[in-house]
Amino acid sequence: MPAFKIPFNGYSVKFSPFNENRLAVATAQNFGILGNGRVHVLSIPPSPGAPIVETAAYDTADAVYDIAWSESHDSLLVAAIADGSVKVYDTNLPPASNPLRSLQEHTREVHAVDYNPSRRDSFLTASWDDSIKLWTVDRPISVRTFKEHAYCVYAAAWNPRHADVFASASGDCTVRVWDVREPGSTMIIPAHDFEVLYTDWNKYDDCILATASVDKSIRVWDVRSFRVPVTVLNGHNYAVRKVKFSPHRGSLMISCSYDMTVCLWDYMVEDALVGRYDHHTEFAVGVDMSVLVEGLLASTGWDELVYVWQHGTDPRAP
Amino acid sequence: MASPSTDTKIENPALAEPRNEGDQNATTKTPKPISSPSVFVNSEPIRPEQVENAVKFLSHPKVRGSPVMYRRSFLEKKGLTKEEIDEAFKRVPDPSPTVQGATVNQDPQPKLVANAQLQAPAQAQQTSAAPTRGVISRVISQPRFHWTHAIYAVGILAVSGAGSAVLFKNALIPRLKSWIRKIASEDENGVVRKPGSKPSATEEAAAAAKTAAEAAAQVAKASQEMMDMNIEEKRCFRNLIDMLEVQQREMREMSFTIRKLEDQTNSSSVVRTYSQDYRLSSSKQPYTNGMAEFNSLPGRSSLPPASVNSSIPPYPKSYIEEFNDLSSNAYQHMPNSGVAPRSKPWEAGQPPNSSSTYQLQADSDLGNINGSTSRWQQKNVRIAELENEEESKVGPYYSSQAPEQTARRPWVPPQPPPVAMAEAAEAIRRPKPTVQKEQQLTGDHKLDQPLNELQSVTDISEMGGAPEARPSEIVEELEGNC
């Protein structure tokens, strides 16, 4: 299907866990440096020829860096805003009563949001003020703050099997594994020599996680033996911005990078790079794999376009 | 007792083993610290050689002077576990930030020193007793310490003030009084004294006063001389400044003429920038589309920290080098974290924006191009191709002129209308004779000045033989336009 043109620069895409035709996009004006932001909720047409349609859009005072769908309500969205606030939106409500809630606790930009898929009532926000906060949707204040990183935290990801375990990636070049029941981090993985921009858990093996870094590589780690990575995936020409594991195949990963490509990897295979899509003409910063439709991929970048395509097809094909 | 254990069992099916142990301790109802069974805790024993290396590192004098967060972060990056780092910190008897009160020593009184000493080991005990608490506890303990410390300081100051007041009262004032009494009594005695006796205190005082007055007069003379010197210096400085201003003016005119000459030769590229965004940076190559506005906006002074390093990741430095770089940064800091190791890009200040004044020169130089639009277009295409090659090598951030993009989003280079150019050319030419006429009205000698200055420019300029040909062209044109 044809690309969807957004007015601002895209930052993140997420498929809805309830509706296979729904997609949320986080965008920011002026590359997220200064200006407003917008959250789009798009509807993917069932037939491949039809265009993508926008069903809702919410404007924000500052850039939106990340978006996450709620796992408990199909109409709830959580957005990470660059002014340090976290906003909750409800697509069932009229635009006048959105955002439903605005939670202002971080002192710097909130860079990532992740919803707990097991507990379904809580979510994490990672911020450039070196801290991660745990929230529940019903409470107006955060439940916990995890402050151990020495630099900006770029991502936080819940473990898909263990409801209380999550990992965080930070600019201090480490990845920390935390347990909500513990006062501090339980593991510190010195993942890269440069800033780690993203981390994600394997959906089929709860001890494997992948990290994406400024050093252009993706490393796959096993927490049981975290001194040496399971594998190092090279292939990107610039910093890797995001890496996500597939919900359908255990060793398949998708990544997007500042070299404007979206790559697919299978780390169990000798030649790990199994797909490369060169459709963006600017930094590719957001990528997602649909849970409900196998092989459906979405990506967005600073070229103000959102692509949704099936793995194996050309994203730019109309 | 049964329900919490079953709940925990359901939540973590994989952690079957620890929950069994948790069953046994379920009566305590506190989360059992996961020491070995959970997969998400590193169950390695403390490695002694790593701890020794860390101790050596922490004992280094340069490291001693750095904030604790830096040291922790470095050790974490090297792969030490929390336990190893805490063990190393324990072994190195450093003045950690929890014992700050002892170092911030404001009061000489032994009382406070004793208190500080008492508190220091207490603080050290506190931190050592809770190794897993991490930074939060330290941050919390610091303000408490500061607070009590402030109270002590105020008390000590009050006491010392009172003590000094008492001192004054008891010691100095009686001295003063006795001295006054002495003088008074000598006065009285001086009246009764026989003539020819030794000079009295009053006479001595008078003599002293005279000498003092003379000294004061000398001082006054000296200060007046200094004043005169200052005035003279000021005069000299003013002269200097005037001369410098004159020089500055001349330099500006020189640069203006040089730019004119340059623009004549680079006329095609300048004409291209003429229609671009006014606030482009001073580089002559235009960057297309929305990128042009990127530079001129304030706000976050750069992209998020990651992308700054993205295209050229620095080679790894040793710790000391890192430190030197970090400590020399101007470092304005966030309220929350007690000490953060690196200053964020937005705190380091914004990069300077420079705007060009090519607009003006482009206008003035259009007149020199007599309808040579086709030639200009050809040059434009060639330069655009060259730029495509260049920019494809530079990071993707700047390359937005890929052929695919031009196919999908056609960007037509702006073409100035040919007809208007001839008129513009004449219009631009016309003001010159009027300017010159004005100069003639004000004085003949002034007309010669620009020409003289141009010639002096060519004399002074070190650019070589080629530019000398151009001023002569300009001179001819000026004469031609008259």
Side-chain angles (χ1 to χ4, degrees):
Chain A
M1 57 210 85
F4 185 79
K5 174 85 174 63
I6 44 182
F8 301 151
N9 307 101
Y11 257 86
S12 176
V13 275
K14 285 278 171 70
F15 282 102
S16 167
F18 290 93
N19 189 333
E20 70 259 20
N21 297 325
R22 267 179 145 201
L23 187 67
V25 186
T27 68
Q29 217 179 9
N30 299 317
F31 309 103
I33 296 171
L34 180 79
N36 301 330
R38 191 173 291 177
V39 172
H40 298 261
V41 178
L42 307 178
S43 170
I44 305 160
S47 55
I52 300 174
V53 175
E54 176 181 285
T55 58
Y58 306 106
D59 277 309
T60 56
D62 210 336
V64 187
Y65 284 158
D66 201 8
I67 189 95
W69 287 97
S70 162
E71 299 275 339
S72 56
H73 295 86
D74 61 346
S75 60
L76 280 186
L77 289 165
V78 185
I81 316 289
D83 60 3
S85 68
V86 179
K87 290 188 160 53
V88 182
Y89 292 93
D90 189 338
T91 56
N92 285 339
L93 294 179
S97 45
N98 269 312
L100 195 59
R101 209 166 270 152
S102 178
L103 311 161
Q104 183 88 38
E105 273 189 39
H106 281 293
T107 53
R108 287 274 182 228
E109 290 82 343
V110 186
H111 197 251
V113 164
D114 194 36
Y115 216 95
N116 193 327
S118 319
R119 287 205 188 279
R120 298 166 192 234
D121 63 348
S122 50
F123 59 92
L124 289 168
T125 55
S127 163
W128 289 354
D129 64 0
D130 313 350
S131 72
I132 304 156
K133 281 188 192 275
L134 174 68
W135 311 78
T136 48
V137 189
D138 50 354
R139 276 211 217 172
I141 52 171
S142 60
V143 176
R144 271 199 70 180
T145 304
F146 303 91
K147 200 170 163 80
E148 259 187 45
H149 278 294
Y151 202 58
C152 307
V153 188
Y154 292 120
W158 288 103
N159 189 304
R161 286 266 183 85
H162 303 282
D164 295 318
V165 176
F166 66 93
S168 63
S170 162
D172 65 2
C173 315
T174 61
V175 167
R176 277 172 212 247
V177 178
W178 309 74
D179 190 317
V180 174
R181 299 159 293 193
E182 297 293 317
S185 62
T186 56
M187 278 179 98
I188 303 171
I189 306 176
H192 293 263
D193 290 325
F194 298 100
E195 300 191 10
V196 188
L197 300 182
Y198 208 78
T199 183
D200 193 32
W201 295 92
N202 190 321
K203 316 294 183 220
Y204 287 86
D205 186 343
D206 55 350
C207 296
I208 303 281
L209 54 78
T211 59
S213 165
V214 166
D215 66 2
K216 316 178 207 168
S217 73
I218 298 165
R219 291 192 185 179
V220 181
W221 302 85
D222 188 330
V223 296
R224 293 165 289 214
S225 53
F226 64 93
R227 295 275 164 216
V228 180
V230 171
T231 177
V232 179
L233 302 172
N234 295 306
H236 278 299
N237 299 318
Y238 287 96
V240 187
R241 184 67 188 250
K242 281 200 166 77
V243 65
K244 291 205 182 162
F245 272 99
S246 164
H248 299 276
R249 278 176 53 190
S251 56
L252 190 66
M253 298 187 297
I254 192 170
S255 69
C256 65
S257 157
Y258 286 165
D259 66 357
M260 309 192 290
T261 60
V262 171
C263 289
L264 273 139
W265 310 82
D266 184 337
Y267 72 93
M268 300 288 212
V269 167
E270 177 65 35
D271 184 15
L273 185 63
V274 294
R276 182 186 222 124
Y277 297 97
D278 204 357
H279 49 287
H280 280 292
T281 56
E282 258 301 340
F283 287 179
V285 290
V287 82
D288 196 24
M289 305 184 81
S290 174
V291 178
L292 302 170
V293 179
E294 177 165 358
L296 193 62
L297 314 170
S299 79
T300 185
W302 283 5
D303 55 358
E304 305 172 357
L305 292 168
V306 179
Y307 290 92
V308 182
W309 75 103
Q310 189 72 19
H311 173 37
T313 64
D314 181 9
R316 273 180 286 190
Chain B
M1 186 177 114
S3 47
S5 59
T6 50
D7 279 345
T8 52
K9 264 190 186 168
I10 292 166
E11 286 159 17
N12 298 309
L15 303 175
E17 283 171 54
R19 288 309 124 203
N20 287 332
E21 293 178 49
D23 276 348
Q24 293 164 12
N25 296 333
T27 45
T28 58
K29 282 194 183 171
T30 52
K32 180 183 177 221
I34 298 175
S35 51
S36 48
S38 165
V39 193
F40 299 104
V41 182
N42 61 349
S43 42
E44 293 174 4
I46 295 184
R47 294 165 292 173
E49 63 277 3
Q50 293 284 346
V51 180
E52 278 173 22
N53 289 338
V55 169
K56 277 184 212 162
F57 163 76
L58 290 171
S59 315
H60 193 281
K62 274 201 180 174
V63 175
R64 287 292 195 94
S66 61
V68 181
M69 272 301 274
Y70 278 46
R71 305 180 217 170
R72 271 203 99 90
S73 174
F74 180 77
L75 292 173
E76 283 165 1
K77 268 191 241 185
K78 291 297 172 194
L80 270 71
T81 62
K82 264 195 192 173
E83 293 86 12
E84 290 165 356
I85 294 174
D86 291 332
E87 179 64 34
F89 269 101
K90 256 190 254 177
R91 289 194 194 172
V92 174
D94 61 341
S96 59
T98 57
V99 199
Q100 251 183 16
T103 57
V104 186
N105 214 353
Q106 296 175 3
D107 14 74
Q109 303 244 346
K111 206 176 163 191
L112 182 73
V113 171
N115 280 334
Q117 282 175 356
L118 278 175
Q119 282 182 7
Q123 287 284 337
Q125 280 174 19
Q126 273 185 19
T127 50
S128 63
T132 56
R133 259 196 254 151
V135 185
I136 302 169
S137 60
R138 283 194 197 149
V139 172
I140 293 169
S141 64
Q142 271 179 21
R144 244 198 293 135
F145 204 92
H146 270 166
W147 208 60
T148 55
H149 188 71
I151 291 175
Y152 277 120
V154 165
I156 294 313
L157 278 174
V159 166
S160 62
S164 57
V166 165
L167 251 179
F168 260 107
K169 213 175 161 190
N170 291 340
L172 292 175
I173 290 182
R175 256 178 162 190
L176 223 110
K177 281 187 186 165
S178 62
W179 188 64
I180 291 172
R181 271 184 220 138
K182 222 178 162 187
I183 292 173
S185 60
E186 281 177 359
D187 273 347
E188 288 174 7
N189 292 338
V191 173
V192 183
R193 247 190 235 160
K194 297 174 190 170
S197 63
K198 294 175 193 168
S200 65
T202 50
E203 286 178 17
E204 279 182 7
K210 269 188 205 164
T211 50
E214 283 172 14
Q218 281 180 7
V219 165
K221 271 184 214 162
S223 59
Q224 249 230 316
E225 280 171 23
M226 291 253 312
M227 286 268 297
D228 294 336
M229 270 176 53
N230 279 345
I231 291 170
E232 280 182 26
E233 276 181 22
K234 272 188 199 166
R235 264 186 235 142
C236 291
F237 276 129
R238 266 182 221 141
N239 288 339
L240 244 179
I241 288 167
D242 292 336
M243 295 188 33
L244 281 172
E245 276 176 10
V246 168
Q247 271 193 20
Q248 207 185 24
R249 262 181 246 138
E250 286 182 13
M251 300 274 283
R252 268 193 211 140
E253 289 178 24
M254 268 173 58
S255 63
F256 184 72
T257 50
I258 289 170
R259 265 192 217 151
K260 255 194 185 173
L261 303 176
E262 278 183 357
D263 291 334
Q264 279 204 333
T265 56
N266 298 336
S267 56
S268 59
S269 63
V270 168
V271 170
R272 226 154 25 89
T273 62
Y274 153 69
S275 58
Q276 286 287 339
D277 202 9
Y278 291 90
R279 291 209 240 124
L280 269 182
S281 69
S282 60
S283 72
K284 279 191 181 177
Q285 301 170 355
Y287 293 113
T288 62
N289 300 336
M291 309 279 189
E293 299 178 3
F294 152 70
N295 256 339
S296 56
L297 293 165
R300 293 178 200 98
S301 62
S302 70
L303 310 169
S307 59
V308 171
N309 295 326
S310 64
S311 53
I312 313 165
Y315 47 88
K317 303 178 195 170
S318 73
Y319 184 64
I320 307 296
E321 285 176 359
E322 250 181 53
F323 261 13
N324 286 338
D325 290 347
L326 290 168
S327 56
S328 62
N329 275 345
Y331 181 79
Q332 307 126 31
H333 187 46
M334 308 172 280
N336 256 3
S337 55
V339 264
R342 277 150 67 178
S343 63
K344 306 277 170 70
W346 57 77
E347 291 161 357
Q350 298 180 359
N353 285 329
S354 54
S355 58
S356 73
T357 52
Y358 280 123
Q359 181 60 26
L360 292 169
Q361 284 132 25
D363 279 336
S364 62
D365 284 321
L366 271 179
N368 291 330
I369 302 170
N370 293 317
S372 58
T373 52
S374 59
R375 179 173 60 119
W376 167 78
Q377 276 175 13
Q378 280 174 16
K379 269 196 184 174
N380 181 26
V381 167
R382 253 184 277 147
I383 290 169
E385 286 175 2
L386 280 173
E387 280 189 355
N388 278 341
E389 287 175 4
E390 276 179 31
E391 287 176 348
S392 62
K393 291 172 201 161
V394 180
Y397 186 73
Y398 293 110
S399 69
S400 48
Q401 294 174 354
E404 308 168 8
Q405 194 204 7
T406 50
R408 283 193 290 132
R409 288 194 225 144
W411 178 76
V412 180
Q415 304 172 17
V419 177
M421 275 179 61
E423 292 176 350
E426 285 182 51
I428 287 161
R429 275 195 202 142
R430 268 187 227 125
K432 282 185 189 172
T434 59
V435 169
Q436 284 189 349
K437 279 180 195 165
E438 284 175 10
Q439 284 182 344
Q440 280 176 359
L441 287 171
T442 52
D444 285 338
H445 60 283
K446 283 201 180 173
L447 178 60
D448 295 332
Q449 269 195 353
L451 300 179
N452 284 339
E453 281 185 11
L454 278 174
Q455 287 173 5
S456 64
V457 162
T458 58
D459 288 337
I460 296 167
S461 74
E462 301 164 351
M463 293 200 302
E468 287 180 354
R470 282 181 235 127
S472 59
E473 284 178 14
I474 294 175
V475 169
E476 286 173 5
E477 279 187 17
L478 286 173
E479 289 172 2
N481 286 335
C482 287

